[in-house]
Amino acid sequence: MAKKNVTVVGSGNWGMAIATIIAGNTARHPEFTDDLTVWMFDEEVQHKGVKRKLSEVFNETKENVKYLPGITLPPHVKAEPDIKKAVANADILIWVLPHQFVARTVQNMGPVKQGAVSVSLIKGGLELEGGKLGLCSDLLRKLLGHEVAVLMGANVANEVAAGEFCEATLGIQSEDHKDMLVKLFDCQTFRVNAVNDIPGVELCGALKNVVALGAGFCDGLDYGGNTKAALIRIGLQEMKTFIRYFYPNVKDATFLESCGVADLITTCFGGRNRKCAEAFIRGKGAKGWDTIEKELLGGQKLQGTLTAQEIWPVMQKHNLIDKLPLFSTIYGIAFEDKAPWTIVKLPQGMPVSAFHKDDGFFEDKDKSK
């Protein structure tokens, strides 16, 4: 069987971090060609006092000096600024870029190789189509015409790149490519579990960024660990309520995978969404989200605010606002000048436990009861 060529589409902080994992596995497993291509948007950076193209600096130094400084990638990783050249021979496409750039990128790259498959690491990009909640992986599947799996988990990019142990969840429907894709990501420091639940995996990855805004609001108000823990628990419950409304067959176990509770926890204690939300509160409204993003993220994009704006009209249309008081409060604080302290003034009467008889977090094994 011919060896598979792999291309990472996106070269931000997370794109470069996952490239370190993939590059180790393409060199280690005979199923893949050693060389790993990374599509790198051609932008200029200051390097040693000289303005140069980021891709040129990377190909000389194997360091992405803007988005993952201090980490040297293996020599068989190559940056390619031409999107058409980057994907032309790819059998496996790894998508790691802000969801708002997906359609334009696919449009610019031309046809892909027959029989190719994709894995989306993109968090967000939710759209309501004909009453159904469409996912970013759905958009990719429609635009590319081939299978798209998803990879989500408790993965802070800098920690992954540094080789610190973590886990991730691969959501995949087809058994044909499962073993190959697990091999592409799984290693001693990055353990991957595959589940047949793409909507559950992907929506957990998107919605946890909204909850992380709430965690950042708590930090900005100097609330303690008890409050944040309560918010995380309520957030997980509302994630489940939202997901189950549109995808009732999502598996209970998915919420206990790395893409679920683990990703939620790490994002609420670290990561860009929590960080920017804290700054938003400490700034007392003096700085908008765009300004905070530019000042704190160094060219990276804030996903939690975009996802909150995407799901708000969906919640309105489907009468979910009263069922999702935390999500509603987070949106109000972020975009409607609602008082930040209302984050701890959620209404009475909401289910208070994952084991609540009406909540359905865990399936009732004895259906006769």
Side-chain angles (χ1 to χ4, degrees):
M1 186 181 289
K3 295 190 173 203
K4 303 294 186 183
N5 298 307
V6 184
T7 293
V8 177
V9 183
S11 57
N13 188 232
W14 182 215
M16 299 312 298
I18 202 65
T20 64
I21 299 294
I22 295 170
N25 287 332
T26 58
R28 191 158 59 97
H29 294 300
E31 292 92 336
F32 310 107
T33 56
D34 287 2
D35 292 343
L36 175 65
T37 301
V38 176
W39 174 60
M40 191 168 286
F41 183 76
D42 232 353
E43 55 185 306
E44 288 192 334
V45 293
Q46 284 282 347
H47 182 62
K48 296 182 178 178
V50 180
K51 261 193 175 183
R52 299 187 59 195
K53 289 184 177 178
L54 182 59
S55 59
E56 290 177 358
V57 175
F58 178 84
N59 285 330
E60 284 181 16
T61 65
K62 300 305 175 185
E63 177 187 357
N64 187 320
V65 295
K66 181 171 183 180
Y67 295 111
L68 195 63
I71 300 292
T72 303
L73 275 75
H76 58 279
V77 182
K78 180 192 173 187
E80 174 53 69
D82 186 321
I83 184 64
K84 290 184 178 178
K85 291 179 182 177
V87 305
N89 294 312
D91 299 290
I92 305 171
L93 295 163
I94 311 300
W95 292 84
V96 203
L97 72 172
H99 63 76
Q100 59 267 39
F101 301 138
V102 167
R104 187 200 319 166
T105 303
V106 175
Q107 187 178 8
N108 291 338
M109 74 186 203
V112 295
K113 199 171 179 180
Q114 190 72 26
V117 296
S118 286
V119 183
S120 172
L121 280 65
I122 300 167
K123 297 177 178 180
L126 311 178
E127 290 185 7
L128 199 62
E129 295 181 359
K132 184 186 174 187
L133 186 69
L135 310 174
C136 192
S137 64
D138 293 331
L139 175 63
L140 280 168
R141 214 170 282 117
K142 186 164 102 177
L143 294 173
L144 297 168
H146 65 223
E147 182 182 2
V148 180
V150 299
L151 186 84
M152 307 283 162
N155 310 134
V156 174
N158 290 353
E159 296 175 17
V160 172
E164 297 183 20
F165 177 76
C166 65
E167 299 176 308
T169 311
L170 179 71
I172 184 166
Q173 190 166 7
S174 167
E175 291 289 321
D176 297 342
H177 301 111
K178 183 176 81 171
D179 291 344
M180 176 184 68
L181 293 178
V182 168
K183 275 188 178 181
L184 186 61
F185 294 102
D186 185 75
C187 65
Q188 286 296 316
T189 60
F190 193 82
R191 305 310 311 215
V192 176
N193 186 41
V195 299
N196 183 356
D197 189 4
I198 289 174
V201 173
E202 186 169 354
L203 281 167
C204 279
L207 294 175
K208 55 94 184 182
N209 287 328
V210 178
V211 183
L213 294 178
F217 296 159
C218 285
D219 291 340
L221 293 163
D222 293 317
Y223 292 159
N226 291 347
T227 304
K228 188 186 276 193
L231 184 141
I232 290 170
R233 187 203 67 77
I234 296 166
L236 180 62
Q237 192 161 310
E238 292 199 9
M239 286 166 56
K240 187 217 55 131
T241 300
F242 183 95
I243 293 169
R244 278 273 171 82
Y245 181 87
F246 293 99
Y247 294 92
N249 294 324
V250 160
K251 298 174 181 177
D252 292 331
T254 300
F255 296 98
L256 302 180
E257 290 283 347
S258 180
C259 65
V261 64
D263 195 9
L264 179 62
I265 290 169
T266 197
T267 307
C268 287
F269 281 93
R272 66 187 81 164
N273 295 285
R274 187 221 61 81
K275 179 181 180 180
C276 289
E278 179 181 356
F280 179 78
I281 298 303
R282 294 201 185 279
K284 301 186 185 301
K287 294 179 181 178
W289 291 109
D290 289 344
T291 302
I292 292 169
E293 180 184 84
K294 286 175 185 174
E295 289 182 355
L296 296 185
L297 299 188
Q300 296 179 69
K301 293 296 179 185
L302 188 58
Q303 295 300 315
T305 48
L306 286 175
T307 303
Q309 288 175 305
E310 287 170 353
I311 67 170
W312 181 246
V314 174
M315 289 164 56
Q316 289 177 308
K317 183 175 176 63
H318 289 268
N319 299 316
L320 292 173
I321 291 173
D322 290 341
K323 294 177 183 176
L324 302 169
L326 179 62
F327 283 6
S328 300
T329 301
I330 289 169
Y331 181 86
I333 295 168
F335 298 108
E336 295 181 340
D337 295 326
K338 193 168 185 176
W341 55 264
T342 58
I343 197 77
V344 295
K345 298 292 182 184
L346 300 178
Q348 297 291 318
M350 56 186 290
V352 293
S353 170
F355 298 96
H356 190 279
K357 64 182 179 65
D358 296 326
D359 189 58
F361 194 97
F362 296 103
E363 291 173 357
D364 185 356
K365 300 303 178 188
D366 185 355
K367 299 295 185 185
S368 64
K369 287 184 179 178

